[in-house]
């Protein structure tokens, strides 16, 4: 990712994660709410704990295939940087899969992932549908499961990242009406190493 775009994404994520609430005293006036000192956080001082390595299986250069048709649909690069604290995804589609109606170009976007000491956080932004913010953790089977924190377009999104024994990563995508928990699969992608 280029410098200016990465700077904007990281600055935006920082504002989301560190902004304190603002309380209204009276119309037109605001005051900052109390904040917690960083020294009191439960986040580890370094990014080399077992939890910080939970997404390492996803790091790499990938060819992305539709699981149902076995068609190559995208390229994805997932990298760790910033002392191993950030897992960054860059995804570019080669097909019209996920293209928004009326848009003349194909889907491309970025994801920024970070373990905050308790959960994984993911912020996804793209050139078609906007942005979503998700929280994640491993499930009982060792898969990483992310679910939206705030509904996007009146719906919740769930992403399941499966680390498969053959070296591939399967990404199952689900959607549900906001707050309903009635998940319907809308995507099934297989990441294969781009060798």
């Amino acid at each position: 990712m280029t410098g200016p775009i990465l700077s904007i994404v990281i600055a935006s994520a920082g504002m989301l994660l560190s902004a304190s609430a603002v309380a209204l005293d009276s119309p037109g006036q605001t005051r900052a709410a109390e904040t917690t000192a960083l020294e009191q956080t439960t986040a580890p001082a370094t990014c080399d704990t077992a939890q910080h390595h939970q997404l390492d299986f996803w790091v790499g250069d990938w060819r992305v295939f539709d699981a149902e048709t076995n068609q190559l649909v995208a390229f994805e690069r997932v990298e760790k940087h910033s002392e191993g604290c950030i897992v960054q995804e860059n995804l570019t589609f080669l097909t019209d899969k996920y293209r928004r109606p009326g848009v003349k170009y194909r889907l491309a976007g970025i994801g920024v992932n970070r373990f905050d000491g308790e959960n994984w956080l993911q912020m996804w932004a793209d050139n078609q549908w906007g942005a979503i913010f998700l929280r994640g953790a491993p499930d009982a089977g060792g898969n990483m499961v992310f679910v939206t924190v705030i509904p996007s377009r009146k719906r919740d999104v769930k992403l399941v990242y499966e680390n498969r024994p053959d070296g591939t990563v399967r990404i199952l995508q689900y959607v549900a009406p906001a707050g309903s928990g009635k998940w319907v699969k809308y995507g099934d992608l297989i990441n294969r190493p781009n060798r």
Side-chain angles (χ1 to χ4, degrees), residues 54-75:
Q54 289 172 326
L55 277 178
D56 283 2
F57 68 89
W58 185 34
V59 173
D61 285 313
W62 304 99
R63 292 176 297 141
V64 182
F65 293 83
D66 183 294
E68 292 180 17
T69 65
N70 202 34
Q71 177 186 13
L72 177 66
V73 294
F75 285 105

Side-chain angles (χ1 to χ4, degrees), residues 97-111:
K97 188 172 186 73
Y98 306 122
R99 182 187 291 197
R100 188 176 186 147
V103 174
K104 295 180 180 175
Y105 42 86
R106 294 187 170 129
L107 180 72
I110 60 169

Side-chain angles (χ1 to χ4, degrees), residues 34-41:
E34 293 181 27
T35 58
T36 302
L38 290 176
E39 292 76 24
Q40 297 176 6
T41 182

